[in-house]
Amino acid sequence: FLVRDTRRVIQEAAKKPCFICRKMGATITCWETECDRSFHLPCAPQGECVTQFFGLYRSFCWEHRPQQAVQASPRQNTCCICLDSVEDKISYKTMVCPACQDAHFHRHCMQRLALHAGTRFHCPCCQDEDLFMMEMLTMGIRISKRPVSWESNHAVGPLDQSHRRCNASMCLCLEGREHTEEEGQWEQLLCRSCAAESTHRHCSSLEDISSWECEGC
């Protein structure tokens, strides 16, 4: 950006109040032609505004923001990422996968997943990528272009050398927390969300469960 253009935008924004916090300096204006609502980017979630982080980088107020065309109701009233309850309808805070229409999740959970998953961002349930990613971009989810965080994080290491240390509050393995086997009660399952913690099946009573999430996730 040219310095003169930046200064001009600052001067113009100084005259615009944010319709959410009422303070001056709102640099973002709703893309809708006849709408004059302006807001600060940090205020957007509180005002249920949407900014599309691709193409023309359009922003919309709560009244004119894009809506998901899918009208599916949650079969389960839990977010498939954090497992906490979700609304019984699609809204700004509750989103749905357009591909399987079965995965429901909180907006803030999906945003966190998008930033960590990076180039491998996809529906956590049906694994769809193209349709799911385009829908999330349209709905204002910012997607990182970097590799997945658990591969680039030196503390975790590459995916094939991921964390393998039982994080159960009480590890029952006589061989120690680092011991792991290909299958059976001493197989270690990685947290499906962060891949930063793991547990022996037996230590967390996961003998018949194929996936697991740590307490933090």
Side-chain angles (χ1 to χ4, degrees), residues 52-84:
Q52 299 175 338
F53 295 91
F54 72 101
L56 297 176
Y57 282 71
R58 302 184 302 175
S59 296
F60 302 89
C61 69
W62 61 270
E63 184 178 5
H64 302 115
R65 69 172 185 259
Q67 306 285 343
Q68 286 197 273
V70 180
Q71 296 299 324
S73 297
R75 298 180 184 178
Q76 297 181 348
N77 61 344
T78 56
C79 170
C80 65
I81 298 176
C82 71
L83 303 183
D84 284 342

Side-chain angles (χ1 to χ4, degrees), residues 54-196:
F54 72 101
L56 297 176
Y57 282 71
R58 302 184 302 175
S59 296
F60 302 89
C61 69
W62 61 270
E63 184 178 5
H64 302 115
R65 69 172 185 259
Q67 306 285 343
Q68 286 197 273
V70 180
Q71 296 299 324
S73 297
R75 298 180 184 178
Q76 297 181 348
N77 61 344
T78 56
C79 170
C80 65
I81 298 176
C82 71
L83 303 183
D84 284 342
S85 60
V86 296
E87 298 174 276
D88 58 0
K89 61 180 181 180
I90 300 173
S91 67
Y92 176 81
K93 297 180 180 179
T94 300
M95 308 174 74
V96 63
C97 172
C100 63
Q101 300 186 17
D102 191 40
H104 289 74
F105 32 76
H106 300 116
R107 173 179 288 270
H108 62 86
C109 290
M110 183 50 57
Q111 180 59 81
R112 185 177 63 177
L113 176 63
L115 294 178
H116 283 288
T119 55
R120 294 192 183 180
F121 183 57
H122 57 255
C123 173
C125 288
C126 70
Q127 313 300 311
D128 180 84
E129 293 185 12
D130 296 336
L131 181 60
F132 178 78
M133 183 178 295
M134 194 63 241
E135 178 84 350
M136 294 302 104
L137 282 170
T138 302
M139 298 307 298
I141 297 299
R142 182 163 59 93
I143 301 174
S144 172
K145 295 182 180 179
R146 64 188 180 191
V148 291
S149 61
W150 49 87
E151 288 188 357
S152 59
N153 188 337
H154 296 297
V156 178
L159 194 61
D160 59 349
Q161 299 176 2
S162 296
H163 176 94
R164 284 293 188 275
R165 186 178 188 278
C166 180
N167 292 106
S169 57
M170 181 179 293
C171 180
L172 304 176
C173 182
L174 297 179
E175 299 292 332
R177 291 182 180 272
E178 306 290 343
H179 179 72
T180 183
E181 297 178 0
E182 292 295 326
E183 56 183 17
Q185 62 180 352
W186 304 124
E187 176 188 2
Q188 294 213 28
L189 296 181
L190 277 174
C191 172
R192 67 180 183 182
S193 293
C194 69

Side-chain angles (χ1 to χ4, degrees), residues 12-13 15-41 43-44 46-51 58-67:
E12 293 177 354
K15 304 174 185 178
K16 296 181 180 180
C18 173
F19 82 94
I20 302 168
C21 71
R22 303 301 178 184
K23 295 181 180 180
M24 305 301 287
T27 58
I28 303 174
T29 301
C30 180
W31 189 266
E32 185 68 23
T33 305
E34 298 181 356
C35 182
D36 60 354
R37 292 191 182 99
S38 296
F39 54 93
H40 301 114
L41 183 60
C43 295
Q46 181 182 350
E48 297 190 351
C49 303
V50 164
T51 293
R58 302 184 302 175
S59 296
F60 302 89
C61 69
W62 61 270
E63 184 178 5
H64 302 115
R65 69 172 185 259
Q67 306 285 343

